[in-house]
Structures are given as C-alpha cells and as structure tokens.
C-alpha cells in the first residue's frame, strides 16, 4: 500500500502522552503505522490528503456493541420497556436470525461506527440461532475494514431453568467452550497491529451458570485472550445478584476470576465505592454506554468517580436495540453531558470525553498500539471537517464534542482509507442498507 501524507491539518489532537495539540501539522502513514508527525513533512510517491480546514484525531474506539441488533431498532413493544421486559420482547425475534442476518446487520453497524469516527470496535455476540457463527461478523468486519475485537458470547440458562431467554436461544455449556476454542484458534491474532482479536464473553451473570463463568475465565487465561460480560447494569441486576448469589456483582466477578487487566465489563452503572476500588486495584476495565443507560432508564454510571480512582474506562454504543443509533461521537458527547448532570458543569471537559473515546477505549481493549497519534502507533485516524454547520463560529475547534460534526469526513484504519468525503469506500452501503431493510421486514412479517 502506498504511503499517505496527511498535510496541514488545522489541528491534530494527538492524545499522546503529553496530550499535544498541533496546529498546521502533517502525519505520514506507512505500512499501517504512523511513521512521522510534524511540520513540513515530505514523502516521495505518497498519496497526499489535504487537511487544511480539518481536525485530526485518533480513531475512536468502541468497547461494547451487539452488532446484530441493528436489525431490531425501534421495535414496537421494546421501545419503552425496562431491561428485562425489553429482552423478553426481543428474544423471540432474534431466535429467527441466521448467518445472513448476522453478516448484514454487522456490516450496517460497522459502517455506522466508521462514519462516526470509529476505527476499532469490539462486538459481543451471545446468541447463535439458525446456524449463525462468530465467523459471520468477523467476515463483515474484514469487508468493511474496521479493526475488530470479536467476543464469543453465550447464554446457557433458558426459560425452563428459570432464565429469561427462550430455550431455543441458549446453548449447552460444553458446546460453548468448544466453539470458543475453535474461534480463538481460527481468528485470534495476538500480535501488535492485529486486525482481529477474539475474546470470551458469557452474556451476563444471570444468563449462564457459575460454572461457565469460571470455566470461561480459565479458558481465556489459558489462551491469553480477554474476557467481557455485562455487569451491574441497573437496580434489577443488583437485586438479582443479591438474591441468587448472595453478594453484589463485584464480589461475584472477583470470586469467579472476572477481575484483572484482561477483563472489561459493560455498563457498571451501579458499582458502589468498594467495587470501584476493586476495579481500580485489579485494573479491571469498564465499557461505559451512556445512551443505552439513558434509553433503558438504568441510571448514570459513576464515571467521574471511576476515573478519579484510576479505573480504566472506555465508551460503548451498546446494541442498536437499546440505543438505537450506534454513533460513537454522539456517545462521547452524551458521556460528557451525563457526568455534568450528575456532578456539575466542570465534571468532564470535551477533551477528557474525547480521550475516553480514543485512548481510554484502546486501553480497555488492551491495545496500547492504538488510540493515540504518535510515531509507531497504528495509523487509525479520524478526520473531521472544521467547516460544518455544527462548528461554524466555534472559538475552539479542538473542543469537538461541544461544537463539531457527528460524522467524519475521512477515516483511515491501518493506513487504509475506508471513509472518503463522508462515504464508505469499502462497501456499497446503499445496497447493504436495502438488504438490511428487506431482512428486517421479513422478521417483522414472520
Ligand atoms: Zn450490551
């Protein structure tokens, strides 16, 4: 691939260790990494991207999603339900999915993320109806061109055993572990610059047994992969934990090996002070999903307290059935606003929220090769137009989350341009959308 020289950006928000903000600077992308940053760079035969009038940031990192849910946005009956009722409305619809639904819905979700500045996303796929496999979403990420941290989710406690999901959507625990081994061996790339990694991710403590939680942790550590689940999402979740396990979610997680720098938990809206200390001490990560938490009325996660205590926090758009959009820059803005609702106007700056959305997320996913613009880091770059209606009149273009566009102008992943002039260049998005709508109609008619 030819080198790319990004030339003369109005401002480059590096998110490097000094949090430098460079004006009129250039970046040279070579062999998937940032080869140089500075002023008046030259490179023979490089493709030149003229960045005057643009704001350059690291690509945003999404730490929690259920891509398949883009096929069930704004479903009547689930629009205004609390978490458990919402799940019960959607499970029967999801049980009619198959490989094509997984592939197309993932393409839609990944393109939506890319257009909002995201270069690296995780996905939590915890149901496998109709022959669907994790492979379907990995294929979608390869075709869209995003860096991908797939997680092999699972549910094993169906209705007949007192669980929430219908029996048809749950799997045998031995089969779950075997397929987890298969997908790790087939797709996980531990190397720096990896485009695909795989993690192990039982859906939540209330959808699998204690044994599977423990075995999944042992498997993940044996294979050297990360672990992910939902934790402490709302008051119902805490009540369930106290009643069924006799302890709070933090204790449950710790007892089963679910703390550590190779673990990240989604939501954590209801962590108490002791649990925040536990997460900080153990270097356990959090995927904060503010829009989903608002949408489901779950509450405001104590992100200010977590950050102050040293907990690693990234952002997640969460599944599209609970957001229902998957725009990561909008998510970052929401994160900033919610902390202000809770703690006052000086509780989180636009720059800090962008930091959480970039290097914060990369840190949570164990990717110290991503999330910042520095020499030697991966060439994952979001470029924003500084002359949109949203930032016209802005005195501080770098305060992107106070006044800035909600879509990128251009996006590079591993040095490859996948968004140009605000459009996907890797896939025929209108065609994918039309297929998605056809599949959604089929699910609605069934
Ligand atoms: Zn989720």
């Amino acid at each position: 691939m030819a080198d790319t020289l990004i030339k003369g950006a109005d401002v480059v928000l590096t998110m490097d260790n000094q949090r430098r903000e460079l004006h009129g600077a250039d970046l040279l992308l070579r062999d998937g990494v940032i080869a140089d940053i500075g002023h008046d760079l030259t490179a023979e035969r490089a493709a030149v991207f003229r960045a005057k009038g643009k704001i350059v940031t690291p690509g945003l990192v999404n730490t929690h999603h259920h891509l398949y849910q883009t096929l069930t946005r704004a479903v009547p009956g689930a629009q205004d339900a609390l978490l458990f009722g919402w799940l019960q409305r959607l499970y029967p619809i999801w049980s009619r999915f198959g490989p094509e639904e997984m592939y197309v819905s993932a393409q839609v979700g990944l393109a939506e993320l890319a257009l909002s500045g995201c270069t690296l996303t995780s996905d939590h796929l915890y149901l496998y109806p109709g022959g669907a496999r994790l492979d379907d979403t990995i294929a979608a990420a390869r075709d869209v061109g995003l860096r991908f941290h797939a997680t092999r989710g699972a549910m094993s406690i169906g209705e007949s055993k007192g669980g929430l999901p219908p029996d048809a959507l749950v799997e045998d625990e031995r089969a779950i572990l075997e397929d987890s081994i298969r997908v790790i061996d087939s797709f996980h790339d531990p190397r720096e610059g990896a485009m695909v990694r795989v993690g192990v991710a039982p859906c939540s403590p209330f959808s699998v047994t204690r044994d599977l939680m423990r075995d999944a942790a042992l498997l993940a550590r044996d294979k050297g992969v990360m672990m992910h689940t939902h934790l402490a999402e709302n008051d119902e979740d805490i009540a369930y934990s106290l009643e069924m396990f006799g302890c709070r979610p933090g204790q449950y997680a710790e007892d089963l090996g679910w703390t550590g720098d190779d673990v990240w938990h989604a939501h954590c809206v209801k962590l108490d002070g002791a649990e925040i200390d536990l997460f900080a001490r153990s270097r356990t990560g959090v995927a904060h999903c503010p829009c989903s938490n608002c949408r489901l009325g779950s509450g405001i996660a104590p992100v200010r307290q977590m950050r102050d205590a040293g907990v690693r926090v990234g952002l997640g758009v969460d599944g599209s059935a609970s957001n229902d959009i998957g725009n990561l820059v909008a998510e970052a803005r929401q994160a900033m606003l919610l902390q202000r609702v809770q703690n006052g106007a000086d509780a989180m700056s636009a720059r800090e929220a962008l930091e959480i959305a970039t290097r914060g997320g990369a840190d949570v996913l164990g990717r110290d090769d991503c999330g910042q613009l520095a020499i030697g880091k991966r060439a994952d770059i979001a470029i924003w137009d500084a002359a949109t209606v949203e930032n016209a009149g802005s005195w501080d273009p770098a305060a992107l989350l106070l006044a800035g566009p909600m879509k990128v102008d251009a996006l590079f992943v591993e040095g490859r341009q996948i968004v140009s002039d605000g459009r996907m260049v890797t896939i025929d998005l209108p065609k994918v959308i039309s297929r998605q709508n056809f599949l959604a109609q089929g699910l609605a008619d069934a």
Side-chain angles (χ1 to χ4, degrees):
M1 186 168 40
D3 297 352
T4 300
L5 184 60
I6 297 171
K7 204 68 194 139
D10 283 13
V11 57
V12 178
L13 282 157
T14 64
M15 294 297 163
D16 67 5
N17 292 341
Q18 293 78 42
R19 307 296 190 270
R20 289 183 303 156
E21 296 181 5
L22 309 172
H23 296 269
D26 310 335
L27 292 94
L28 178 64
L29 319 184
R30 176 175 292 156
D31 298 330
V33 301
I34 298 168
D36 205 357
I37 301 182
H39 291 91
D40 304 317
L41 302 183
T42 55
E44 277 181 38
R45 291 189 296 278
V48 174
F49 182 98
R50 305 230 166 259
K52 188 165 167 42
K54 313 285 184 197
I55 302 155
V56 177
T57 70
L60 275 51
V61 178
N62 183 44
T63 60
H64 186 65
H65 207 330
H66 313 287
L67 290 165
Y68 75 91
Q69 292 180 6
T70 62
L71 257 171
T72 48
R73 305 196 216 224
V75 170
Q79 288 183 12
D80 308 314
L82 292 176
L83 177 65
F84 285 12
W86 172 92
L87 284 169
Q88 280 163 324
R89 168 73 177 107
L90 291 168
Y91 281 141
I93 303 172
W94 294 336
S95 69
R96 298 197 290 273
F97 277 40
E100 196 197 358
E101 282 79 5
M102 290 300 177
Y103 175 75
V104 174
S105 57
Q107 280 197 315
V108 167
L110 291 161
E112 186 182 18
L113 283 171
L115 292 170
S116 70
C118 174
T119 50
L120 163 61
T121 184
S122 66
D123 185 46
H124 189 184
L125 181 56
Y126 53 81
L127 42 84
Y128 296 88
R133 300 191 301 168
L134 194 66
D135 314 36
D136 304 320
T137 56
I138 292 172
R142 186 194 56 218
D143 293 347
V144 172
L146 245 63
R147 205 181 291 283
F148 196 45
H149 202 130
T151 64
R152 206 303 180 183
M155 298 192 294
S156 62
I157 303 179
E159 266 170 344
S160 64
K161 290 183 186 156
L164 278 181
D167 287 354
L169 269 186
V170 305
E171 298 175 273
D172 170 70
E173 298 200 339
R174 208 167 65 188
I176 290 166
L177 291 168
E178 279 171 7
D179 194 54
S180 301
I181 293 168
R182 179 188 70 80
V183 291
I184 292 166
D185 290 348
S186 304
F187 299 108
H188 179 69
D189 181 356
R191 293 171 299 182
E192 187 172 324
M195 287 299 290
V196 178
R197 285 194 183 160
V198 176
V200 174
C203 183
S204 65
F206 57 79
S207 52
V208 300
T209 66
R210 184 182 287 263
D211 284 347
L212 185 69
M213 290 295 288
R214 191 186 302 107
D215 290 347
L218 292 172
L219 170 65
R221 293 204 164 111
D222 181 52
K223 291 283 186 185
V225 303
M226 294 189 70
M227 300 143 61
H228 180 50
T229 192
H230 293 97
L231 203 77
E233 181 165 351
N234 65 6
D235 288 329
E236 286 172 293
D237 201 333
I238 303 292
Y240 185 91
S241 185
L242 289 170
E243 190 191 329
M244 300 298 287
F245 310 136
C247 63
R248 289 186 52 90
Q251 176 81 54
Y252 188 71
E254 188 181 26
D255 288 351
L256 296 173
W258 278 77
T259 50
D261 63 3
D262 52 355
V263 183
W264 84 105
H265 293 291
H267 301 306
C268 300
V269 174
K270 298 293 175 181
L271 289 194
D272 67 11
E275 289 169 319
I276 291 172
D277 283 347
L278 168 68
F279 275 42
R281 251 192 347 265
S282 58
R283 303 272 305 139
T284 307
V286 169
H288 172 47
C289 307
C291 290
S292 169
N293 299 157
C294 289
R295 159 77 158 83
L296 294 173
S298 301
I300 301 174
V303 172
R304 182 71 274 149
Q305 293 89 323
M306 290 181 196
R307 295 261 302 169
D308 290 346
V311 176
R312 299 180 302 136
V313 180
L315 288 184
V317 297
D318 203 2
S320 303
S322 67
N323 190 328
D324 299 328
I325 55 168
N327 181 310
L328 192 50
V329 72
E331 200 73 37
R333 181 174 158 84
Q334 186 79 0
M336 172 185 76
L337 295 177
L338 268 190
Q339 290 311 302
R340 293 174 178 218
V341 169
Q342 187 88 304
N343 303 302
D346 59 353
M348 184 172 287
S349 69
R351 283 169 171 81
E352 184 182 6
L354 189 67
E355 177 182 319
I356 295 171
T358 53
R359 68 181 280 160
D363 194 21
V364 164
L365 295 182
R367 296 299 303 247
D368 62 6
D369 54 344
C370 299
Q372 54 178 295
L373 304 179
I375 292 171
K377 302 293 181 188
R378 307 320 295 184
D380 290 2
I381 294 164
I383 300 181
W384 312 84
D385 198 337
T388 65
V389 70
E390 294 95 339
N391 49 20
S394 171
W395 288 36
D396 180 12
L400 197 62
L401 297 177
L402 284 175
M406 288 288 127
K407 280 191 163 185
V408 277
D409 176 64
L411 193 75
F412 291 84
V413 182
E414 191 73 359
R416 173 192 184 204
Q417 189 166 5
I418 71 166
V419 175
S420 174
D421 291 327
R423 295 205 172 140
M424 297 301 302
V425 294
T426 44
I427 55 169
D428 183 349
L429 187 56
K431 196 169 151 193
V432 173
I433 291 170
S434 139
R435 188 68 193 162
Q436 168 100 329
N437 286 332
F438 175 80
L439 293 172
Q441 192 61 52
L443 292 165
D445 291 345

